[in-house]
Every structure is written in C-alpha cells, then in structure tokens.
Amino acid sequence: MPQPHSLPTWAQEASLGIFVHWGAYSVPAWAEPTGALGTVPDEEWFAHNAYAEWYANTIRIAGSPAAAHHADVHGGRPYISFLETWRAEKYDPVDWVHLFQAAGADYVVPVTKHHDGICLWDAPGESVPTTTSAGPGRDLLDPLARATRAAGLHFGVYYSGGLDWTFANYPPITSSGDLERLRPNGADYAAYATAQVDDLIERYRPALIWNDINWPDAAKEDGSLEALLTRYRRAVPDGIVNDRWGAPVWDYRTSEYAHDVANESGSSWEHTRGLGFSFGYNQVEDAALTMSPRELAQLYADVVSRGGRLLLNVGPEASGQIPDVQRRTLAGVAEFMTAVKPLTGTRRTLAAEDVTVRGTDWWRAWRSGDQVVVVADRDDVDTRARDGRPVTVVPLPSV
C-alpha cells in the first residue's frame, strides 16, 4: 500500500482550510449543543450528539432529545424526505469563496457524501440518493470547484467511506464501539464506495481526499483500496489523503475538537472543528455558541505555532446562505488574517526559550523565513528573539 510521505509544497505552506458540511441535514438543522467532541463522555455523546449532520442517526435513538424534537417538529417523517424539500435556492459558490479567501483560506473541502448516503453530485451506483435526482436537482460540487480554483485556492473532497446509512439497514449507532460493528464491510459496499471516489477523482481532480470513519474491510483485503489510491496519485501527483481509512495509507494525521489530539505533533497534521459544536448547520447555535473572530484567531495561531493546519468548518443553511453568525466571524477575522497569513507559508516551530515575550498573558510564536512572528492579545508587548532575529507582532482582533 502507499505509505505516508512528505507533504507536497502546497500542503506544507497551507495553514487554513475551509470544511463545508451541507446536506439534507441542513433542512432540520438541529442538534443538542452538548459540547465539543472529546469532552462529552462516550456513553452520553451519541444520544446527545452535538453534530447536526448526525441527525439521521440521533433521531433513531429512543429517548434522545433529537428523537423528541423530530417527533414534535417534523411529525417523525422519514429522514430521506428532507432531501426532497432541500432546494439550495440561494446557493452562491462565488460568494462563499470570496468570504473564505478573505478569511485567509488556502483550500476548500466540501462534503460530497456524508453518513446519510446522499451524494451532492451525479454519483454512480444503483438507487443512489443524489442532489441531481431530487431536492436541488443539480450537481452542487462542480460550481464550487470552479469558483475555488478561479480564486487560486485548492479544492478537496470529503467522502464518508466508513458509514452509509442508505446502503445497509443497521440499527442506530449508540457508542464508539458501534462505529466498528455497525458499518458496511463487504465487497458490495467496497465496490460502491470505490466507484464513487473514482468518479470524484475523474470529475474534480481533488487536491486532497478527506475520508471519514474507516474504509470497508473487503477493500483492504483484496487490494482495491491500494489500487484506488494508486489511481488517485497518478491522476493528482501532488494530492494527499488523511488518516481515516483504517489502514496505513495516510499522508497526514487529523484531530477533531478534543478528540485524537495526540496526533498533533510534527508538521503533518490538521486540526478540524466547526465554528460552534456542530459541523452541519445547527439553528440552535447562536453567537454565544459560535467562536468570535478573536477566538478563531487564537485557535489559528495556536495550531500554526505547533506546526499544523486548521480545517475550519462552515455549515450553510439549507438555502445555501452562510448563517449570519458564522459570516460575522469569518469577516471579522479577515483583517487579522491579512496581516498574519503572509508570515505562515514557510513557518517553523520554536522552542519556548527561543523567544521572550513580556507584557501579555497570551501569545503564540513561530519562525517565518528570517524573522520571528508573535501573535499576542495586545500590540504593545515586549519581545526578543534569542538569536537576534527581527520580531513581528500581530495583535489578535479586539472582539
């Protein structure tokens, strides 16, 4: 199988990606905002799942708040019916990309198929629920890919290889153990998923493939996963894949909120999270539950200072509009990112003793070219690099 190797130049220099979770789950747009993944006990997480994109699973857990909400608000209607009422009538991918670019994004990674099995393009396969055959009635990926590349950004794809709730009739997932036990693993699903990812590669030539949960075991055993990634690397020589295949085929490691933070070491890692507790749009998440521009800038500086990339999620409304509360944060961090982004492309991590910063309670630093960059919670800090290099101080946004 392909083995982890050094990241291509674009991925080494990238520091911010935008994840986009948009699907039929954006119609009910509801989850209980219990907290960040990794901070809620496993025995509580699934019945009280903060991820709105898991709505199809959570509403099937008896006694869950999502099940009660679904019965009260939607009369217990089948989840797949949300695809029929999803219109995406205000979808403007050029506007999205302008917002992402102003916020400092280097790459964009939309969900092409989440665990609900609904594909956002004309995916191959028998009886595949897609946005071309129902709901929006069109390919939602192609215009975003075009807008992303027209802006000079890299375009990647997310694909749920480990779970597909339309493919097999499994009971709801209620524990982390179920993630292994209740996933399709046979040759039939392996062929189904492989054909769809092959199609994504052929159509969109993605700069990265962000697989999720796992990959069907049959494909690991018969060599078809190896063959799939070999085809991908031939088609996209500087393409990369993440570490969620259940096999040693990754180019970089991932963490998610407070989960898998042990992966955050070296320079081949990426931290992902939403602006709130959810990836898919959650109408419950107001400004109090959404990162402010200052908090986002702090998170970005922390990740960058430790050698990683931040993959920040945006969850559009069903209409295609980016919620005002999320747009506020992205627009509010733009000035900070304009100042700090040119100083991240060739960064190197620093030891604590390599720079002295006085007069502030919070700061992060890294080396960029021939200078040291310090991001601090104020601009009048006293800084000094041990080796005498010049120091550039970038203050956090005020709010």
Side-chain angles (χ1 to χ4, degrees), residues 184-199:
N185 269 313
D188 53 349
Y189 179 62
Y192 180 90
T194 297
Q196 292 187 348
V197 172
D198 265 326
D199 194 56

Side-chain angles (χ1 to χ4, degrees), residues 78 83 118 138 154 166 184 222 251 313 327 330 355 389:
L83 173 59
I118 296 170
R138 60 195 188 277
H154 293 272
T166 67
D222 67 11
D251 297 305
N313 183 77
R327 184 177 284 271
L330 294 174
V355 61
R389 290 173 182 270

Side-chain angles (χ1 to χ4, degrees), residues 17-34:
I18 298 294
F19 225 173
V20 182
H21 278 65
W22 190 37
Y25 44 79
S26 306
V27 177
W30 195 92
E32 185 183 4
T34 47

